[in-house]
Amino acid sequence: MATAELAGKHLVLGMTGGIACYKIAELTRLLTKAGATVQVVMTEAATQFITPVTMQALSGRPVYTNQWDARMPNNMAHIDLSREADAIVIAPASTDFLAKLAHGMADDLLATLCVARDCPLLVVPAMNRQMWQNPATQRNVAQLRADGVEVLGPDSGPQACGEIGDGRMLEAAATYEAIASFFAPKILSGRRVLLTAGPTFEPLDPVRGITNRSSGKMGFALARAAQQAGADVHLVAGPVALETPWGVFREDVQTAGQMHDAVMRSVADADIFIGVAAVVDWRVDHTSEHKIKKAADRALPVFSFVENPDILAAVAKLPHPPFAVGFAAESGDLEVHGEEKRVRKNVPLLIGNLGPLTFGMDDNEVILFEAAGATRLPRADKQTLARALIAEIAKRLPDTSLIR
Ligand code: C5P
């Protein structure tokens, strides 16, 4: 999660009765850490699962549970609480509460707030699989969608009751991602983005190989930012220990050859290609089938290398290439080498890392190279930078009708 990506957002977090209330403690922490103001409102049933004291401590604000709460000077909590809200998020949303919402009922503070709101409503269902599949629930959810309510999840898997199926609430982190995604401007709506990220691994024998120190963080941050911007995202990842960003399609590969093939299979569908991977430039021409033995009386192994395909250059060379963006990590003279590399790879935009040691770090500083000149972006954490880069890429895209 990026620093303060929800700064200035005011959320009413409505909790209804369900065992998934325990996930809301973590969700509240994630939302407040991202800079959002979280006003918790609980139904009577929710207070049976987790106490308002816990939610007050985590949100840093008094919790409302009762329509007749005397703390509101005008006694209109149902109006006042939603007026400054950018969205109301109901999590967990019980079967009963979804039914209430679908019928516009207003028989407690939270239901009344939802009816009286003038902001978007997001619901995060949480229930047993039979309750979720019940035709009445499905009818209510369809009605809510038709009314413009955003339904996040539910997930599938083991449930608190011991059964397995659809209906469990998204995990706190996934709920956070869905909320952050909801707020991101949809500047890449309808666009398809293909990215490479991480290092590649070129085997020498079944247990050894050559690779580099790329962590994949920048590529994964860009994939996440593109998804949040409304794009359909396909991420081809080398060996990295990172979680797939929410809503992103990920394909794992090991070698440069596999990365090249994966990209070439999918590039015809892409509007934008971003080559973030630190592709290993060479592979050994013959990998040993067996582990190379080490022994005092044996000569040291000697390897001969062949060059790997340049994936970015291959994409740029296609007869109808997507908008292709390259990355460059140079150990010196970035200003000179960046533009020279952009021209050599024949891409409209190349992003140069300032400082060679950004591999694995959480922040970065970059220069954009393009025909019109070079532009420096301020140092930032990789997720903030990824958002800025996606905005820069979106600005430079040709009109959809002219892309391919
Ligand atoms: O030539 P260099 O490795 O510095 O170029 C970096 C850029 O080219 C990055 O965008 C990287 O993903 C891409 N590249 C590639 N295939 C290679 C080498 C680099 O796509 N074999």
Side-chain angles (χ1 to χ4, degrees), residues 257-270:
Q258 291 166 354
M259 187 173 271
H260 172 268
D261 294 350
V263 166
M264 288 305 157
R265 269 195 306 273
S266 300
V267 70
D269 291 331

Side-chain angles (χ1 to χ4, degrees), residues 196 275-277 279 281 308-312 326-328 330 341 345:
T196 62
V276 199
V279 183
D281 290 309
N308 271 327
D310 189 317
I311 305 166
L312 178 64
F327 266 76
E330 295 292 334
K341 187 169 285 185
K345 303 233 177 192

